[in-house]
Amino acid sequence: MPPAPSSELHEEAVLALHSALRRRGIAARDGDLPGSVHAEYAGRRVTVRHTDHRWWRPMPGEPHTTVPVARSGDEDTLARDLVTELLGRL
């Protein structure tokens, strides 16, 4: 089977993160930018974006600088980390 085009992998990663967050009780929505996922709980918010086969998020205190937080395929681990942060159990 030939590899999936980049846009298909991108969409699969976004859907996988939505699913992983939903399984943990957090409703997520697509963010403002293509490939971004936004989740919030009790006033806490987090947005991550999928590009270049990785998940990225803004660096705390530096909203225009992004840092990688997970690779494609690690959506379950990323969701667990995001839910922990949203629920305040750091």
Side-chain angles (χ1 to χ4, degrees), residues 24 26 41 44 82-89:
R24 289 165 174 82
I26 300 292
Y41 180 83
R44 295 175 190 228
L82 295 177
V83 169
T84 299
E85 181 178 336
L86 288 170
L87 296 178
R89 293 185 233 148

Side-chain angles (χ1 to χ4, degrees), residues 37-56:
V37 176
H38 179 83
E40 82 182 76
Y41 180 83
R44 295 175 190 228
R45 288 173 241 155
V46 65
T47 301
V48 293
R49 186 169 184 214
H50 186 262
T51 58
D52 299 325
H53 304 286
R54 291 192 175 153
W55 287 99
W56 302 79

Side-chain angles (χ1 to χ4, degrees), residues 11-87:
E11 185 64 25
E12 285 178 22
V14 170
L15 291 173
L17 183 57
H18 275 282
S19 177
L21 287 167
R22 189 173 42 251
R23 285 192 310 270
R24 289 165 174 82
I26 300 292
R29 62 176 174 81
D30 288 341
D32 297 333
L33 297 173
S36 63
V37 176
H38 179 83
E40 82 182 76
Y41 180 83
R44 295 175 190 228
R45 288 173 241 155
V46 65
T47 301
V48 293
R49 186 169 184 214
H50 186 262
T51 58
D52 299 325
H53 304 286
R54 291 192 175 153
W55 287 99
W56 302 79
R57 70 180 290 180
M59 180 183 290
E62 299 285 334
H64 300 292
T65 302
T66 57
V67 293
V69 291
R71 294 175 300 152
S72 290
D74 286 341
E75 286 78 17
D76 279 327
T77 302
L78 176 58
R80 185 181 65 231
D81 294 344
L82 295 177
V83 169
T84 299
E85 181 178 336
L86 288 170
L87 296 178

